[in-house]
Amino acid sequence: MKKISNNALFGRLAQILNVVILLFFILSVIFLLKFDKENVVMVNSEPSFLKAKDHLHSVEHPLKQNQAEVEYYAYKLDTLTQHQAAVAKDKKAVKALQEDIDRTKKTLGEKEEALAQTEQAIADERAAFEPIEAEYNDMVAQTEAAKKNYNVFLCITVILFVLKVLIWAIWNYKNSKNLRAVCPWMEKATAPSWAFWGWIIPVYNLIKPYTFFNEVYEETEYALTDKNVIPADSKGDNDFVLGFWWGMFLLAVCVMSFFLFSTFFGEGPAFYKLNHTSVAVAAIVLWCVYLLMEIVVINKYNKMNKLMVDNEKVF
């Protein structure tokens, strides 16, 4: 007699993890909204901060040129003064040199005055910019702190979700092995290892986990009806239930993740046009429906698994 294992424990673990995932996802969204509150203030203040910063840079721009000009004329004046002794006996040369010295002194005074004005303007602008910079830096610090809190709950949620997927894969693998033990035609069906590979291969993982579980579900149901363990007309709308469950998975995990990222972490159309609270509530609703639907699906299959174990002798 071929043995059929009772795999309900793994299904129940997945159900429990779904409840915990939902709890931490809701907490992560709450902290995301707290981060968003700080981030929106920072983003709205950024243009005025950058404008003030650019204005300070424009005021500071002439400083190096003014300093270079003062240094140049100071050096020139020093050179001309030292040259006086060399032309002391030539009255014309002395007169021309003195005129050059006078012009240089005048120009140097003008350049020093321009430098002083620039330095004073910079000092005034920096005094005005410092409180703006301090306020903006404080906003950045508060935003980063709120983001770190959100990241903690996000990481926990992701780790729990990956653990749930692993438990789900083990559960499906064992269910597939059960079918192969009692249904000869399952030897030509999808290999049990696809319970794991279906989640790993990029793009393919958008559909393979569903098709694999759908095959296991339908073949289990067929095996039970074939052995008259359950009535042949008891199938109901299982195709719709499974399709709805996977559709909610794609909406919650794939589509809503994109909207959350675009809305809360970008500065494109979604950030400015979408209502952030509405997006957060929609994400919670979608995840709630998806995770609860998965609990229902697991419960329905666990009942069939129990029937197979209880009626093992007929297989």
Side-chain angles (χ1 to χ4, degrees):
M1 183 181 296
K2 296 179 179 179
K3 185 171 179 60
I4 304 172
S5 63
N6 189 338
N7 306 320
L9 175 61
F10 291 97
R12 293 193 193 100
L13 285 175
Q15 289 176 318
I16 292 170
L17 282 171
N18 273 5
V19 174
V20 179
I21 289 168
L22 181 58
L23 173 63
F24 275 94
F25 180 78
I26 292 173
L27 289 173
S28 68
V29 171
I30 291 172
F31 280 94
L32 177 62
L33 288 171
K34 290 183 179 180
F35 155 75
D36 185 61
K37 182 179 179 181
E38 302 292 342
N39 188 50
V40 168
V41 174
M42 185 189 74
V43 169
N44 290 336
S45 301
E46 189 174 23
S48 59
F49 167 75
L50 293 177
K51 183 178 180 180
K53 189 175 182 179
D54 288 341
H55 188 262
L56 174 61
H57 287 165
S58 66
V59 173
E60 290 176 335
H61 182 70
L63 180 63
K64 289 184 178 180
Q65 182 178 348
N66 291 155
Q67 290 173 335
E69 289 174 345
V70 169
E71 289 175 2
Y72 169 76
Y73 284 104
Y75 175 77
K76 182 178 180 181
L77 179 62
D78 185 58
T79 302
L80 292 173
T81 303
Q82 292 177 6
H83 191 58
Q84 280 181 314
V87 297
K89 296 180 180 180
D90 189 340
K91 292 183 179 180
K92 289 184 178 180
V94 169
K95 183 179 179 181
L97 180 61
Q98 187 58 49
E99 290 176 352
D100 198 5
I101 289 174
D102 292 340
R103 284 195 300 271
T104 302
K105 283 183 178 180
K106 182 179 179 182
T107 303
L108 177 60
E110 292 172 351
K111 297 301 181 182
E112 287 176 338
E113 184 179 354
L115 176 61
Q117 291 176 351
T118 299
E119 289 176 338
Q120 184 60 49
I122 291 173
D124 293 341
E125 193 62 32
R126 283 178 178 170
F129 178 70
E130 283 176 1
I132 297 174
E133 183 180 36
E135 183 180 4
Y136 181 76
N137 288 340
D138 185 55
M139 292 179 191
V140 172
Q142 292 180 16
T143 302
E144 289 299 319
K147 187 177 181 180
K148 287 180 180 178
N149 292 333
Y150 160 70
N151 285 337
V152 169
F153 283 91
L154 176 63
C155 288
I156 294 173
T157 304
V158 171
I159 291 171
L160 288 171
F161 185 80
V162 172
L163 179 60
K164 190 283 294 283
V165 167
L166 178 61
I167 297 295
W168 172 274
I170 294 172
W171 181 63
N172 270 286
Y173 176 83
K174 288 182 170 291
N175 291 334
S176 180
K177 295 289 283 187
N178 271 355
L179 284 173
R180 284 179 170 249
V182 298
C183 301
W185 65 86
M186 287 300 293
E187 291 297 326
K188 296 182 180 180
T190 306
S193 60
W194 278 102
F196 298 96
W197 289 116
W199 289 99
I200 297 172
I201 301 175
V203 182
Y204 206 48
N205 55 16
L206 295 176
I207 189 64
K208 190 58 181 178
Y210 164 72
T211 59
F212 183 87
F213 178 68
N214 187 60
E215 180 181 273
V216 170
Y217 193 102
E218 288 188 347
E219 293 300 333
T220 302
E221 195 171 49
Y222 176 79
L224 289 171
T225 55
D226 185 57
K227 297 298 182 179
N228 295 317
V229 176
I230 60 175
D233 59 351
S234 63
K235 184 175 181 180
D237 293 328
N238 292 328
D239 289 340
F240 171 78
V241 172
L242 296 181
F244 182 71
W245 155 69
W246 191 251
M248 294 307 298
F249 166 82
L250 294 176
L251 284 174
V253 178
C254 302
V255 177
M256 187 49 68
S257 295
F258 170 77
F259 273 100
L260 285 172
F261 181 82
S262 301
T263 303
F264 292 95
F265 295 98
E267 291 187 28
F271 180 85
Y272 292 103
K273 293 183 178 180
L274 296 180
N275 184 288
H276 293 197
T277 302
S278 298
V279 172
V281 171
I284 291 175
V285 171
L286 284 174
W287 272 80
C288 184
V289 174
Y290 152 60
L291 292 171
L292 293 178
M293 277 300 301
E294 193 165 275
I295 289 173
V296 171
V297 168
I298 292 172
N299 192 57
K300 288 170 73 69
Y301 189 86
N302 271 349
K303 289 180 178 180
M304 291 196 296
N305 180 226
K306 185 176 184 302
L307 287 173
M308 290 184 71
V309 173
D310 292 342
N311 297 273
E312 186 174 1
K313 291 181 180 181
V314 304
F315 288 97

